[in-house]
Amino acid sequence: MNKLLTFLKQWTLVVALCVGSLVYLLFSEIPVLEPIGDFMGPKLVALLPYVIFLILYVTFCKIQVKELRPRTWHFILQGIRVALSAICVALVAIAPSAGWKLIFEGMFICFICPTAAAAPVITEKLGGSIESMTVYILIANCVTSVIIPLFFPMVEKSADISFLFAFLMVLKRVFIVLIVPLCLALLTRRYLPHVAQWIRDRRNLGFYLWSFNLSIIMGLAMQSILHAPVSGITLVALCVIPLLISVFQFGLGKLVGAHYGDSISAGQALGQKNTVVGIWLTLTFLNPYAAIAPCAYVVWQNLINAVQLWAKEKYGALKW
C-alpha cells in the first residue's frame, strides 16, 4: 500500500493523464455509459476556471509581495515567443499543401499560447519562484492581447478578430482567473493570517487540485484527437511535433533563465502553455483540426513536468 501511495505521489501528473483518458473512453465508447458522459462532460469542463481560481488562490497565499517585480528574462522570453510565432505565420503563408498548412497552424498555436495560469503551482513544486512566474504570466497575457489580432488574420484569412476584442478577451480571463485570486490571497494574508498559514501548511493542495483539472483537460484532448477527420500522416505529425516543440521550449526557457539564476521558472514560463485557451482560439478562429496540436501538447508538457518532479523528488533539486 505504501509503495502504491509513493508511486501515486511521484507520478501524480501521469496518473491524472491516464485517469482523464480512461474516464473519457469509458463514458464515450460504452453505450450504456454515454448518457452519463454527455450529461457530466460539459459540467466538468465548466468547472475548469473555478478550480484554476482556487488553485491560484491557494498558491498566491504563499507569495512574497516584495518579490513581485519584472525580470530581464521575462521580456527576452516574450521576444522569443513572438519571433517563433512569426516564423510559423511565414511557414503557413508558404505551405505547399493543405496538410502542411494545418501542421504549421498547429505549431503556431503551440508557440503563441500564453503561459498556463496554473504554472506557478508546478514552478513551486520544482523549487522555482512563484512571484517571478506570476509577474511573467501578467506580462505574457498583455503581449497575447497584442499579437493575437496581429497574427491570426495572417494565419487564417477568415479570422475576424479585432485588437479591442482580443484585448478585452484576455483582460477578462486575466482579471477573473489571475488578478482576483491574487488580491484575495493578499487580503487573506493581511487580515486572516491564520487562514493563510493553514493553507501554506497544506503544501500540495494546489498541486492536487491542478491534477484534478488536468484529468478534465485530458478528456478534452482525447475527444479532439480521436474524432479529428484528418489523414494518418497528418494526425501523427500533429501529435508528434508538439513533443519536439515542448522539449524545445522548456529547454530554451531554462537556457535563458540560467543566465539570470532562474532556470526553473523560465523553463516553465516558456514551456508550460495554457492549452485550454489555445484550443478555444483554434476552434474559434483557425482551422479547428489544428486544435489537435495543443491537445497533444497537453500530454507532452505534463509528461515533461512529471519527469522533472520525479527528478526533484529523487535528487532534491533539478540538475537540468
Side-chain angles (χ1 to χ4, degrees), residues 287-303:
N287 187 325
Y289 303 132
I292 297 170
C295 287
Y297 198 97
V298 170
V299 179
W300 300 126
Q301 74 173 7
N302 282 286
L303 287 177

Side-chain angles (χ1 to χ4, degrees), residues 37-310:
D38 293 340
F39 176 77
M40 289 301 300
K43 297 188 183 311
L44 288 172
V45 172
L47 275 179
L48 286 173
Y50 298 101
V51 179
I52 290 176
F53 182 101
L54 185 58
I55 290 168
L56 291 178
Y57 169 73
V58 168
T59 304
F60 290 155
C61 280
K62 306 172 185 178
I63 66 172
Q64 301 295 324
V65 179
K66 63 181 181 180
E67 295 296 323
L68 289 172
R69 65 179 188 276
R71 272 79 164 177
T72 302
W73 65 262
H74 290 168
F75 301 100
I76 294 175
L77 292 192
Q78 285 308 305
I80 291 172
R81 176 180 162 224
V82 172
L84 292 171
S85 300
I87 291 172
C88 287
V89 171
L91 291 174
V92 169
I94 62 173
S97 66
W100 278 108
K101 183 174 184 291
L102 183 62
I103 292 170
F104 291 145
E105 284 194 19
M107 293 171 57
F108 167 74
I109 207 68
C110 289
F111 285 125
I112 202 172
C113 271
T115 302
V121 177
I122 304 298
T123 301
E124 179 195 15
K125 288 280 290 181
L126 292 173
S129 169
I130 303 174
E131 297 82 5
S132 181
M133 181 61 71
T134 301
V135 175
Y136 179 86
I137 292 173
L138 290 171
I139 295 172
N141 279 280
C142 290
V143 173
T144 300
S145 68
V146 175
I147 60 179
I148 285 177
L150 177 64
F151 286 152
F152 272 51
M154 297 181 189
V155 173
E156 197 66 46
K157 303 301 180 184
S158 61
D160 182 17
I161 181 168
S162 66
F163 174 79
L164 181 61
F165 175 82
F167 178 77
L168 293 176
M169 175 192 70
V170 174
L171 179 64
K172 177 183 176 182
R173 289 178 177 273
V174 171
F175 183 77
I176 294 175
V177 178
L178 197 65
I179 301 300
V180 174
L182 175 60
C183 293
L184 286 177
L186 294 177
L187 289 172
T188 302
R189 287 167 60 92
R190 177 67 177 83
Y191 296 106
L192 297 170
H194 296 297
V195 174
Q197 185 59 50
W198 183 88
I199 292 173
R200 286 196 293 270
D201 290 341
R202 274 68 188 171
R203 295 182 57 190
N204 293 318
L205 179 58
F207 178 67
Y208 291 130
L209 286 170
W210 166 241
S211 298
F212 170 75
N213 247 24
L214 180 58
S215 294
I216 301 174
I217 295 171
M218 187 60 203
L220 284 172
M222 287 291 291
Q223 182 184 39
S224 179
I225 293 171
L226 293 178
H227 293 87
V230 298
S231 69
I233 295 176
T234 302
L235 180 61
V236 169
L238 287 170
C239 290
V240 173
I241 290 176
L243 167 61
L244 304 179
I245 293 175
S246 184
V247 171
F248 172 72
Q249 291 192 118
F250 273 103
L252 184 58
K254 287 179 176 293
L255 184 64
V256 172
H259 288 283
Y260 300 94
D262 208 356
S263 65
I264 294 174
S265 301
Q268 294 303 122
L270 194 61
Q272 189 173 347
K273 297 291 188 176
N274 192 336
T275 49
V276 174
V277 169
I279 293 167
W280 178 82
L281 287 169
T282 308
L283 295 174
T284 305
F285 300 108
L286 304 179
N287 187 325
Y289 303 132
I292 297 170
C295 287
Y297 198 97
V298 170
V299 179
W300 300 126
Q301 74 173 7
N302 282 286
L303 287 177
I304 290 173
N305 281 334
V307 172
Q308 290 186 111
L309 289 169
W310 170 82

